[in-house]
Amino acid sequence: MDKLGEKLKDWASTVETDQAATSSGIPVKVLYTPKDMANMDYLNDLGVPGEYPFTRGIYPTMHRGRLWTMRQYSGFGTAEESNQRYKFLLGQGQTGLSVALDLPTQIGYDSDDPMVEEEVGRVGVSIDTLLDMEILFDGIPLDKISTSFTINSTASVLLAMYIAVAEKQGIDSAQVRGTIQNDILKEYVARGTWIFPPEPSIRLIVDTIEWCMNNAPKFNPISIAGAHFRDAGATAVQELAFTLADAISYVEAALARGIDIDEFAPLLSFFFYTHNDFFEEVAKYRAGRRIWAKLMKERFGAVKPKSQMFRFGVVGGGSTLTAQQPLNNVVRVAYQALSSVLGGVQSMFTCAWDEAYDIPTVESAELALRTQQVLGYETRVMNTVDPLAGSYFVESLTDEMESAVMKIITEIEDKGGMVKAVQSGHIQSEILKNSYQHQKQVESGELVIVGVNKFVKDESDPTFQLYEANRENFSKQVDRLKQVKMERNAGQVAKTLANLQQAAKGQENLMPYLVEAVKAYATIGEIIGILKEEFGEFQEPAVI
């Protein structure tokens, strides 16, 4: 090392370099050497794949043993339209489903509510009752596919509907696989589809965790999602730190109910955005695995290896997509997908190039899926586990990422934890600061975005087909809801809703009552309306 030190000193005197940093602001040297790994303890810091601290991956052979699940986020208009898109994607080799729901469904309004008329079926599929869910999965056996739902405030209701559909298909809930996002804390910060205040919202989350633990052990009752922090403007470091702080809150809430850590921890999963800083993204996922394993083992006393595993899905695209020169988005998403795979992802959604404009067409959705398939079946990057391990740069960056994330988590806990940090507006303020700096860098040209602030060219208006919400579909959705209300057993609906309300007043797990209500064809608006009466609604804090 002394000889290396002397050599590096001589080398440094002959080169001139400018300052560089990751997108999170972690300084990046022009050259990394064995000196940057001098303090590494291989077995304690990296180990082997499939073993604590899981830095190199949660499974022994990772993607060589099994490719990641390819599930394209999709849903629009009516259940019939989305069902056709799902069947098309599955026919093209997609290996999982990811359901996009419209805003009324996400915030608990029925399609016939005048408040939400313009949003019905616009950014996702509209689900009012169990009948919509039955149509959505018509011809798709739920014991053969895993399904992810990007749903939060109403996640428990959608889970109840999904389980009820499985039963109608003759499938026991124990065989159902999938995920509900169900991460309400980031909704208060970054996305906005909250309904209830934090305390009852977290109660519902723990209800779903406890219910799945006992009834649907293959289903992930929560996917703690940093993705929306990231797209709101957080850095990669903040994204990981805020997500893990959320996870700590949920774990503590489950423990407070008296649930054993090793009974529910294996059901927890995570979800992130992969952006363009290639090596930082790889380091983010490697650091995430190590931090989570340490938290679960050393802080919460988890014994089972599965309890210590940081299982995560990703989406590539989002706010990195540009409306200018939109075909460039194909390239961006391909690089993001590659860094996700090298980071050890378990499931992935790759955005279509035209999503900067609207819901993707059939053709662009297929190309986005093909991007993953080419990566998975042609490039051979999956043949070796964690191939960037041992890189002086990547290992150093993983360490730096871990330190930076833990510093933020400590700061949040000093403020009383994530719930209080959200209620005070602290997290929102931190994201706003970074988002503002990011925009300034884009406008000044300091941060290059090809086609936006460099290599710009005159462009005509887009000539490709854009999705337009069909007013006939809105009428069809409202008519179906009306028909359901006419044909259902009104007395049974009233009884199940009354039972739900009574249970909400106490401390019982609400999932059994939700399942009974949806089976009676109570609407999502009726169910959420009952819970609003008991829980109230969240009031957003002012953030400066």
Side-chain angles (χ1 to χ4, degrees):
M1 283 296 175
D2 289 342
K3 287 184 179 179
L4 176 58
E6 290 297 320
K7 185 68 177 175
L8 289 173
K9 189 175 179 182
D10 293 342
W11 173 83
S13 67
T14 65
V15 296
E16 294 183 4
T17 61
D18 54 5
Q19 299 292 317
T22 69
S23 67
S24 297
I26 297 174
V28 176
K29 299 191 294 187
V30 70
L31 179 69
Y32 287 79
T33 71
K35 291 179 73 68
D36 295 291
M37 296 170 59
N39 296 323
M40 173 180 285
D41 180 327
Y42 181 85
L43 287 179
N44 285 329
D45 295 334
L46 300 184
V48 295
E51 293 186 14
Y52 185 87
F54 302 100
T55 310
R56 302 202 62 185
I58 60 172
Y59 301 123
T61 60
M62 290 300 290
H63 299 137
R64 184 159 174 169
R66 178 188 173 186
L67 282 182
W68 62 94
T69 300
M70 301 178 189
R71 58 168 104 242
Q72 297 299 96
Y73 183 56
S74 181
F76 55 94
T78 63
E80 289 88 345
E81 286 181 290
S82 295
N83 175 267
Q84 291 304 308
R85 179 65 63 92
Y86 297 159
K87 288 177 176 174
F88 170 77
L89 289 169
L90 291 171
Q92 300 307 309
Q94 179 168 290
T95 52
L97 294 176
S98 179
V99 179
L101 297 144
D102 70 0
L103 285 175
T105 305
Q106 293 186 45
I107 55 177
Y109 285 88
D110 290 337
S111 296
D112 60 356
D113 192 311
M115 285 272 289
V116 298
E117 181 177 331
E118 292 298 321
E119 289 295 334
V120 173
R122 181 172 293 277
V123 300
V125 61
S126 181
I127 301 292
D128 290 314
T129 70
L130 180 59
L131 180 58
D132 294 323
M133 194 71 99
E134 292 167 10
I135 295 169
L136 187 64
F137 293 102
D138 181 52
I140 302 174
L142 299 191
D143 58 342
K144 306 295 184 189
I145 195 79
S146 70
T147 305
S148 169
F149 293 87
T150 300
I151 192 75
N152 295 279
S153 295
T154 58
S156 54
V157 183
L158 270 293
L159 171 60
M161 289 185 180
Y162 192 65
I163 294 298
V165 171
E167 285 187 19
K168 282 179 173 285
Q169 292 186 358
I171 299 165
D172 189 273
S173 62
Q175 300 305 314
V176 174
R177 294 177 294 124
T179 304
I180 45 175
Q181 196 162 85
N182 205 17
D183 175 6
I184 196 61
L185 288 175
K186 53 87 176 159
E187 291 294 317
Y188 300 124
V189 173
R191 195 158 172 270
T193 64
W194 65 73
I195 300 175
F196 314 116
E199 289 79 7
S201 295
I202 292 175
R203 171 192 172 178
L204 282 169
I205 291 169
V206 178
D207 283 354
T208 58
I209 291 172
E210 187 177 41
W211 190 87
C212 283
M213 195 177 77
N214 296 318
N215 298 277
K218 295 181 180 179
F219 197 93
N220 299 317
I222 187 168
S223 175
I224 306 148
H228 301 108
F229 291 130
R230 191 67 182 284
D231 250 16
T235 66
V237 166
Q238 289 175 324
E239 178 192 23
L240 182 55
F242 296 160
T243 306
L244 292 175
D246 279 353
I248 289 170
S249 297
Y250 301 135
V251 168
E252 289 176 341
L255 291 174
R257 188 175 289 191
I259 308 174
D260 185 86
I261 185 73
D262 281 311
E263 292 298 315
F264 71 87
L267 300 180
L268 306 181
S269 62
F270 297 85
F271 187 68
F272 297 93
Y273 253 118
T274 300
H275 279 192
N276 290 336
D277 192 328
F278 190 92
F279 292 108
E280 185 179 57
E281 294 298 333
V282 174
K284 179 178 75 178
Y285 298 129
R286 299 178 86 245
R289 280 193 292 271
R290 190 156 69 201
I291 295 171
W292 185 244
K294 288 180 179 178
L295 284 171
M296 296 306 290
K297 181 178 181 179
E298 297 173 11
R299 176 168 174 171
F300 294 112
V303 175
K304 293 180 179 176
K306 285 187 176 180
S307 302
Q308 303 161 1
M309 290 181 180
F310 181 79
R311 298 178 300 123
F312 69 95
V314 303
V315 50
S319 64
T320 68
L321 302 184
T322 67
Q324 299 92 334
Q325 301 180 31
L327 284 173
N328 294 345
N329 295 328
V330 176
V331 184
R332 293 188 178 99
V333 170
Y335 285 136
Q336 293 162 359
L338 177 59
S339 61
S340 301
V341 169
L342 296 180
V345 69
Q346 274 67 65
S347 70
M348 183 156 57
F349 154 46
T350 37
C351 282
W353 62 270
D354 53 355
E355 288 191 51
Y357 284 94
D358 213 326
I359 291 171
T361 63
V362 171
E363 292 76 16
S364 65
E366 181 179 346
L367 179 58
L369 174 61
R370 298 291 185 237
T371 302
Q372 292 196 52
Q373 291 169 331
V374 169
L375 183 57
Y377 294 100
E378 294 186 14
T379 65
R380 305 188 186 190
V381 294
M382 71 293 183
N383 277 348
T384 299
V385 175
D386 191 26
L388 295 182
S391 156
Y392 306 129
F393 175 43
V394 171
E395 295 299 356
S396 176
L397 191 54
T398 301
D399 291 346
E400 294 274 5
M401 181 73 72
E402 180 180 2
S403 298
V405 167
M406 289 308 301
K407 181 181 178 184
I408 293 177
I409 291 175
T410 300
E411 290 171 354
I412 291 171
E413 298 196 326
D414 287 344
K415 293 181 180 299
M418 195 61 171
V419 173
K420 289 187 177 179
V422 169
Q423 289 175 321
S424 69
H426 170 72
I427 304 299
Q428 297 91 319
S429 178
E430 291 298 301
I431 292 176
L432 281 173
K433 286 179 195 173
N434 187 68
S435 181
Y436 176 65
Q437 290 301 321
H438 175 86
Q439 188 59 33
K440 282 176 60 177
Q441 289 178 323
V442 172
E443 292 178 2
S444 69
E446 180 182 352
L447 179 63
V448 172
I449 301 180
V450 174
V452 174
N453 60 10
K454 196 162 187 173
F455 312 114
V456 178
K457 66 178 183 180
D458 291 334
E459 296 179 89
S460 57
D461 292 336
T463 57
F464 49 85
Q465 179 187 356
L466 295 175
Y467 173 79
E468 293 185 8
N470 187 331
R471 295 302 298 171
E472 290 183 5
N473 284 338
F474 167 72
S475 300
K476 185 177 180 180
Q477 182 68 24
V478 172
D479 288 345
R480 179 155 62 218
L481 175 59
K482 185 178 180 181
Q483 191 70 24
V484 169
K485 287 181 176 178
M486 288 176 55
E487 295 179 355
R488 66 186 182 179
N489 183 327
Q492 185 66 18
V493 174
K495 180 182 177 183
T496 59
L497 290 177
N499 290 341
L500 173 64
Q501 184 160 24
Q502 188 61 35
K505 293 178 187 294
Q507 300 300 317
E508 285 185 84
N509 190 313
L510 297 184
M511 276 304 300
Y513 298 96
L514 291 171
V515 172
E516 290 307 307
V518 302
K519 284 181 177 177
Y521 292 88
T523 72
I524 195 166
E526 292 168 339
I527 291 170
I528 295 302
I530 287 291
L531 295 179
K532 279 181 182 176
E533 290 179 15
E534 299 305 319
F535 296 158
E537 296 184 59
F538 177 68
Q539 300 300 315
E540 186 177 18
V543 177
I544 299 175

